[in-house]
Amino acid sequence: EPESPELLALCLRLIPALSSSSTSKLHLVDAMWVWTEPNSMRLKVRVTVRTEVQNVTIQQRVIVELIIKWKQCDECNREFTNRTWHALIQLRQKRNDDAPRKGLVLVEMALARNPQIRKHVLSVDASRQGFDFYFVSLVHAQTFASYLARIAPMRIKTTKKLVSTDVKNNTANMKYTVACDMVPLCRDDLVMVHKSAKGCKIPGRLCLV
């Protein structure tokens, strides 16, 4: 409800200077609403703050303006927006250190040389540990994942999520996620094999990938 105590408490939590993680060390003394036009999509709050600077207490009253923006929840956004992709490939190479991920570089080089396998990719997003590839159908995503498995050893797992259903037509809109986890080892990595490793035919405990 507009200008309610609950909405005022919510607005105060959105002010960065009053958050617990802020370094300004401001203490809230008082807060009240300032009248605005109902259709202005603005909220104004008069806050009184107090702080100490060199053993001197300073108190000041300021007006904070907040802008109202409409936004759908994630579930409604997935259901009513124009769905352009139905399958997602999450290619990851997870390493414990900050060493370069040479496996991802190898995949990039292989994809750059093969335009035929890239023709069904709608878009690509980069992440900290890999890439996200978007496809129209699951068949194209599975073909792309099979190609990636021929470049480097990886574990592939497919999951699906229900986005919306049409009871009248007895249909459902599904989105699939194909997780491709590459081995964390890269070329020129020095590996120590554990003593309890079974079936290991390496003469020593140290080996170079």
Side-chain angles (χ1 to χ4, degrees), residues 11-208:
C11 293
L12 293 176
R13 288 198 296 267
L14 297 178
I15 300 177
L18 299 179
S19 62
S20 58
S21 60
S22 176
T23 58
S24 58
K25 297 181 180 179
L26 293 177
H27 300 282
L28 180 64
V29 178
D30 188 20
M32 63 179 62
W33 290 108
V34 178
W35 185 86
T36 57
E37 288 288 344
N39 299 326
S40 63
M41 301 296 289
R42 298 288 193 275
L43 296 175
K44 290 185 179 181
V45 181
R46 181 186 292 118
V47 296
T48 304
V49 293
R50 180 187 301 163
T51 186
E52 291 186 3
V53 179
Q54 297 180 354
N55 298 326
V56 178
T57 302
I58 299 176
Q59 182 170 315
Q60 187 176 0
R61 181 179 296 173
V62 295
I63 295 180
V64 180
E65 182 177 295
L66 299 99
I67 302 175
I68 300 175
K69 293 183 179 180
W70 300 107
K71 183 180 179 181
Q72 286 183 323
C73 66
D74 294 336
E75 294 295 332
C76 295
N77 189 32
R78 281 194 296 265
E79 183 174 354
F80 293 103
T81 53
N82 185 18
R83 297 178 289 271
T84 58
W85 65 273
H86 290 83
L88 165 66
I89 287 185
Q90 294 179 335
L91 178 64
R92 299 291 186 268
Q93 187 177 32
K94 301 176 182 178
R95 292 171 63 91
N96 296 328
D97 52 5
D98 294 330
R101 294 171 173 82
K102 300 179 182 179
L104 296 177
V105 177
L106 183 64
V107 171
E108 285 187 84
M109 295 174 58
L111 294 177
R113 294 192 300 263
N114 194 340
Q116 186 68 21
I117 198 66
R118 304 194 315 264
K119 67 179 182 179
H120 296 299
V121 179
L122 295 178
S123 61
V124 182
D125 291 337
S127 64
R128 183 175 178 272
Q129 295 179 336
F131 301 97
D132 293 336
F133 301 92
Y134 297 89
F135 298 86
V136 175
S137 65
L138 178 62
V139 177
H140 295 157
Q142 290 175 338
T143 303
F144 191 86
S146 301
Y147 177 79
L148 296 178
R150 294 196 297 267
I151 300 175
M154 63 182 62
R155 180 184 300 169
I156 300 177
K157 182 180 179 181
T158 303
T159 58
K160 61 181 179 180
K161 183 177 182 179
L162 177 64
V163 178
S164 62
T165 58
D166 190 346
V167 181
K168 295 182 179 180
N169 298 327
N170 196 20
T171 58
N173 178 40
M174 309 291 295
K175 282 193 174 181
Y176 301 87
T177 301
V178 182
C180 299
D181 294 328
M182 301 177 60
V183 292
L185 302 178
C186 296
R187 184 175 296 179
D188 299 331
D189 283 350
L190 186 62
V191 181
M192 176 178 288
V193 182
H194 198 270
K195 293 181 179 180
S196 61
K198 297 181 180 179
C200 183
K201 298 182 180 179
I202 301 177
R205 295 189 60 192
L206 295 177
C207 61
L208 189 65

